Each structure stands twice: as C-alpha cells, then as structure tokens.
Amino acid sequence: VKAALEDTTDDDIVPISNVKGEILRKVLDYCEFAVGEGKTKTEEEKKKWEEEYLRLDHPTLFQLILAANFLNCQSLLDLTCKNVADQIRQKTPEQIRAHFNIKNDFTPEEEEEVRRENAWCE
Amino acid sequence: FSFTMSHPYGIKPLGMCYIEGNDQCRRNGLGNFSKLNDETLLNIFSYFGGKTLAKMAVISKAFYVFSHFEELWKVQVIELLTSKNDSPTINFNKSWRSTFISLCSKHPPPLHNPIQIKNFYSDVLYQPFLCFNSPVKAEYLTTENIDRVSDLSRDKFITMYEIPNKPVILTDVVNRWKAAGKWDEEFLETFHGEMKVHAGGVNFTMKSYLKYAEEMKDDVPLYVFDKKFASKNQSLRDDYFVPEVFSDDLFGLLGDERPDFRWLIIGPKKSGSSFHIDPNGTSAWNAVIKGAKKWVLFPPSCVPPGIHPSTDGLDLAAPVSIMEWFMNYYQTHKQKNSSKFKGKMLECVVKEGEVLFVPRGWWHCVLNLDFTIAITQNFVSRVNLSYILNFLRDNPSNISGLPLSERPLLYEKFLGELKSFVEGKNSSDTILRNEVRRTVENHRKKSKTERKEKKEQA
C-alpha cells in the first residue's frame, strides 16, 4: 500500500481491487497490531495473539496469503506461510492430499522409486 | 531462444505453457496450493526441515519438483552445519540434497533416478538451471576502458590514479610472485588439501572445496573468501608480496585490532560478487593468479542501474546474481547510452598476472570467467586517509570487518595510533610521517570547525 500511496496525491483514491473487503480488514488488523499493541507485548503474548489471529479456515488463510503477497506485507506473508507449513508438517501424505485437494499423479513404479529414495528419513 | 539442454526433472519455463497448453500437472498436483505463486510456495517450503522436505516429494509430481529444488537443500545443509559447535567442514556430494542425506544418515545416499516431470512450467524453478547453463556472452567481455600500465612508480601512481581516484591495471607485478604459474587446483589440493577454508559462511577443507567447485551446479556458487589464509599458512603467505605502489598500510598500526584486510579468493566459473562498495572507505587491489575476472565499475557518485541502496547505507536491494544483472541491465544500459551513466561505466577483464586498483568508494561487481584464484587486500594510504577518517567519524555503524563492540571505538583508536606513529622516534619513512601529520591536523581542524557550525545552527 505504501508503494501505491507514494505514486498518488492526497486526494486520489488508491485502488485495491484484488483483495476482498473482509481479507483487507484482516491484513489491517495485523498491521495495526504490529505497529500498535504488538510493540508493547512480550514474545509470548505476541505468539498468543498470532495463534488466535490465525484460527482461520483454509480458504481464508490462502486468501490472506495472496493478499499479503499482493500488498507486499512481508512479515504477514512469512507468518501465514509458516502457519501453512506447520499444518502440513503434522499430516501424512494421504491427509495432505485429501485436505488440499491434491491428485496423486505418480505411477505405482514412480511412487515406489520416490519412497525408496526417502528410506533414510524413516 | 535456442536452448537445447533439458532440465534434470524435465521442467520448462512458464512461456512454454502457452505453447504446449497443458497446466494440469500444476493444477492437479498442487490442488488448493495452485492459487499461490511459486515464490510463495518456496516460502512455505523454506520452513520445512530436511526430513519433511524430503517427504513432500511423494505427494504429487508438482510437490516432487518443489521438494527437489536445490536452493532449499543448500539452506538446509548450511543451517545444519552452522548449528553445530565445532564448525565442521562440508563434504559436498554431487548435489545439496545428496550432501544433506550424507550428513544425516549413516548409509551413503541412495542412487538418485530423476523422475521426468512432463508439463510442469515455472520460471522461478527453472531460473537457477537457466542461469547456471547460460553462457557468458562475448558481448559482455569486449569493452576494455581501464588503463593498463607497467613500470609505474609510486609518485606516478599517486598523481595519475590515487589522487584522481581512478582505477588502473598493473601488468608487471603479479608475474613476479612465486604464486604465478605455481598456484592451481593441483597445487592447492596436493600441498594444501587439508587447509580449512571459509566459503559463503561454511567451512571446507581445500580438497573438499575443490570437489564442490568441480561438481556443483549452483547458479550462485559458493566461493572461498578466506581472511585468515596468510596467518594460517606461512607458505601461501610467502608466495606473494604487496605491490610497492600499494604498500602504505596505515590500518596496520592497529596490529591485531585492525579490521579484516586480506583475502584468498577461489571460485568456479561464473561465481563472483554482485555490486557493492568496499568497507570502511578503503581502497583495494585485486590480483588474478589463475583464471580471469570480468569487472564492471561505477564511480562513487553513480549508483549502478538496477541497484537500490537503502538510505542508511546498510541494505542493498539488487538482482539475485551477477548473471541476472548482465542479462537484465548491462545490455539495455549500453544500448540506451542514457546520460545518467554515459561514460561512467568502466569495464575490463583482469587476466592472470594482472592486478586491478579499485579506488575507494567505487561500485563494482566481479564475475569469474573460469576457475579463478586471486588475492585481494584493502588499505588505508596517505592519499585516502582523510576520507577514511571522515568515514570512521561519521559512519561508525557502517564499519565492517570488526566485532560489533569494537566498531564505535575504531575512530578514536585509529587517531591514537596515528598520533603515536607521527610522534615516534622510529626513523623509517619521514615523508609518510609528514603527510600523515598534515592530514590528521587538517582533519582535526575541520572536525572542530564542523562541530562549531553545528552548535551554532542548533
């Protein structure tokens, strides 16, 4: 938003058409916290706030990631990406595919090859 | 664009998707994740540790591609090694992924049979492969507009180059070093193979580094940049000498408390350093013992195209690699010949046996055109001393090559050493002593006047 604002005068309206109103609200919540209350809180309190903030369904979380990316809000982007990574890490491959609508497009031979190469992880 | 090499996993640049028209691999294989762009996906993947990262490969072909992205594994290896207390050395093993597996399991990594992933298109994932395999174009190497001189006296050097702050190449010094014609891969491996060297934040033995340089396919290769080589290894130290015209070394008065100042540089073809200015306001010389280096330089007042330093001078937003700079900015700038940069960009290829003088404050980027071995030193001389005193006084937070706690102290400490030098009974080099005395006196007078003016303004 800052970059867009730098290109306009005070009277212009800044167009943000890629982001739905409710998602933009979520982004602003984060930014307001970061520059306001967030500065006075301890690390633990901040983590708690972030945990609460990120209790979202997947579609909303993904929309938030897209918005953070579009609006160039790096810290929110990193926070949301880390959250998704944390959610993925806890699931098995089958659960990941089911949850995120992913098709297993390997042939049985290919899948076996990948598993063989991953034997060291087990 | 005729590029016939194919990516190890068969992925293609994004443009090919419009020609071949089949995006199903990405859509089906990423599911809900296909809404996100590749940079964001890599961001998510960057939070996975090595084992999780490996397990992602089995989910789908698209996940397989991301899971095998080498830059992710490079980070994992470096993190794993830097977390260990005894700073172990890396044994690079064909790829970063394979190297990680070697570090993590007792068994040797399994043979890797890359699965060919059809119809997967991504510029982001294709880019490192493209960069690594793009040749250095001949057009990048043709311009030579830096003076080459031989038999240059110190006085001539000072009046013609150091005072005007202008680069120059000396052609007749390095070939008198013992290192010339002696130092090469075989020599380093045979006689200094066990020496620990520092490259990109990690340690190698010389032997294991040379193996990495041979096997790696990084688009931004790690290169040896070792500041302790001369103190660790007397034999290497004895194989070169500081060229006479660069022999002023006023930071040497600080003894062990001086900022880092000399480095052994070893890197494979296409390794190098993107645009920067050398630390602490110092000038430098850079000598090629084996190989060749392409240099592009801009004067202090002229920020290179595509480079955006932050206002406090601490951060630098620049294209990822030097090759990207060449591909995206070099040719457009030369064709446009825009007035902002006209006549300001200096270029050369420094060959074996040559040494380049890099004047203080000049922007420069360097690209190794071959496997290259070089030595560089930064120095404070009678000519650039006043500039450096101003720098240390006004920018203590931008000082580098010293522990953080010592940076604010450097200015006063250095002044103290200069004072002792000037007053010393040791009769070597009265000319230098007089020059330094004059410079320090002028500096103190100016500092006093400037402080007074500031007070009056306030």
Side-chain angles (χ1 to χ4, degrees), chain B residues 140-158:
Chain B
Y140 299 167
L141 307 179
T142 46
T143 306
E144 294 270 352
N145 49 18
I146 294 179
D147 287 355
R148 275 186 161 76
V149 298
S150 60
D151 204 20
L152 188 69
S153 68
R154 178 193 280 274
D155 284 343
K156 278 250 166 69
F157 168 65
I158 290 177

Side-chain angles (χ1 to χ4, degrees), chain B residues 39-98:
Chain B
E39 285 97 340
T40 306
L41 286 163
L42 284 175
N43 191 346
I44 294 172
F45 271 73
S46 73
Y47 290 102
F48 296 142
K51 292 191 175 166
T52 311
L53 184 57
K55 288 178 182 173
M56 291 296 117
V58 79
I59 289 174
S60 69
K61 289 188 172 179
F63 267 74
Y64 177 92
V65 174
F66 279 90
S67 167
H68 282 80
F69 191 59
E70 275 280 281
E71 319 309 316
L72 290 169
W73 288 102
K74 185 176 187 173
V75 171
Q76 289 302 313
V77 171
I78 294 176
E79 267 180 24
L80 185 62
L81 286 172
T82 50
S83 69
K84 298 195 175 173
N85 282 331
D86 55 350
S87 50
T89 56
I90 293 188
N91 235 326
F92 187 77
N93 185 354
K94 295 202 198 75
S95 73
W96 287 106
R97 185 173 169 276
S98 212

Side-chain angles (χ1 to χ4, degrees), chain A:
Chain A
V1 176
K2 181 167 187 264
L5 284 172
E6 278 165 355
D7 291 338
T8 61
T9 64
D10 284 335
D11 291 335
D12 290 348
I13 298 171
V14 179
I16 308 182
S17 53
N18 283 9
V19 184
K20 279 203 295 217
E22 56 197 70
I23 302 294
L24 184 57
R25 178 72 259 164
K26 276 298 262 185
V27 176
L28 290 172
D29 284 345
Y30 175 82
C31 293
E32 282 166 5
F33 177 77
V35 301
E37 276 183 61
K39 288 198 163 169
T40 59
K41 304 256 186 221
T42 65
E43 279 307 309
E44 258 190 70
E45 289 171 331
K46 258 175 137 180
K47 275 221 161 89
K48 267 203 148 169
W49 186 92
E50 284 170 359
E51 261 182 55
E52 198 47 51
Y53 173 81
L54 290 168
R55 279 191 215 286
L56 304 163
D57 58 44
H58 279 145
T60 313
L61 180 58
F62 275 49
Q63 291 271 3
L64 192 53
I65 293 179
L66 287 167
N69 189 32
F70 176 70
L71 296 168
N72 210 4
C73 185
Q74 192 63 44
S75 51
L76 178 58
L77 186 57
D78 288 342
L79 180 68
T80 45
C81 282
K82 179 172 190 296
N83 184 262
V84 175
D86 290 341
Q87 289 185 37
I88 295 174
R89 195 182 294 116
Q90 294 163 3
K91 296 181 165 50
T92 65
E94 294 75 20
Q95 288 170 333
I96 294 173
R97 289 189 198 116
H99 217 112
F100 296 103
N101 226 348
I102 294 166
K103 185 172 175 203
N104 179 357
D105 48 0
F106 285 118
T107 66
E109 294 80 23
E110 287 169 341
E111 189 166 347
E112 182 48 43
E113 177 62 27
V114 180
R115 286 190 191 280
R116 184 188 69 83
E117 290 192 25
N118 275 349
W120 64 276
C121 298
E122 305 309 332

Side-chain angles (χ1 to χ4, degrees), chain A residues 119-121, chain B residues 51 80 98-110:
Chain A
W120 64 276
C121 298
Chain B
K51 292 191 175 166
L80 185 62
S98 212
T99 304
F100 185 88
I101 299 174
S102 307
L103 289 170
C104 270
S105 85
K106 298 191 177 76
H107 309 289

Side-chain angles (χ1 to χ4, degrees), chain B residues 244-434:
Chain B
E244 211 274 324
V245 297
F246 305 131
S247 58
D248 276 3
D249 180 32
L250 293 170
F251 265 169
L253 296 170
L254 293 160
D256 286 337
E257 298 178 7
R258 66 181 302 169
D260 303 332
F261 71 106
R262 68 185 164 194
W263 293 267
L264 171 65
I265 311 176
I266 307 174
K269 187 174 184 173
K270 293 172 75 188
S271 62
S273 177
S274 46
F275 277 106
H276 64 282
I277 297 177
D278 274 4
N280 306 332
T282 53
S283 303
W285 54 264
N286 184 305
V288 173
I289 298 168
K290 181 155 200 287
K293 287 182 186 287
K294 167 73 189 180
W295 288 75
V296 181
L297 302 103
F298 287 87
S301 52
C302 184
V303 180
I307 308 299
H308 307 283
S310 68
T311 42
D312 59 5
L314 286 171
D315 277 313
L316 201 55
V320 172
S321 65
I322 323 129
M323 283 309 293
E324 278 194 6
W325 186 84
F326 272 100
M327 292 193 281
N328 299 331
Y329 292 96
Y330 178 81
Q331 251 143 352
T332 17
H333 155 62
K334 275 189 125 165
Q335 277 160 13
K336 266 164 62 176
N337 207 7
S338 54
S339 57
K340 189 172 172 198
F341 302 110
K342 192 166 184 168
K344 302 241 176 95
M345 179 164 83
L346 296 189
E347 307 178 51
C348 63
V349 172
V350 178
K351 306 188 291 289
E352 283 177 22
E354 297 186 327
V355 54
L356 172 68
F357 166 62
V358 185
R360 56 149 180 85
W362 276 66
W363 290 95
H364 51 282
C365 81
V366 194
L367 183 68
N368 289 326
L369 299 178
D370 215 331
F371 175 85
T372 302
I373 305 170
I375 291 181
T376 187
Q377 290 197 197
N378 284 67
F379 61 93
V380 177
S381 72
R382 69 196 73 182
V383 174
N384 63 18
L385 176 61
S386 69
Y387 182 83
I388 283 153
L389 286 172
N390 290 342
F391 184 96
L392 298 182
R393 178 193 65 196
D394 301 335
N395 293 286
S397 50
N398 284 3
I399 291 172
S400 70
L402 268 186
L404 273 168
S405 56
E406 290 175 35
R407 294 176 196 186
L409 309 170
L410 183 60
Y411 173 63
E412 292 294 342
K413 209 189 256 186
F414 188 43
L415 274 177
E417 293 297 340
L418 290 170
K419 184 167 186 253
S420 304
F421 171 68
V422 161
E423 294 169 356
K425 306 281 196 304
N426 173 346
S427 63
S428 69
D429 210 339
T430 37
I431 299 176
L432 176 62
R433 194 177 295 131
N434 288 334

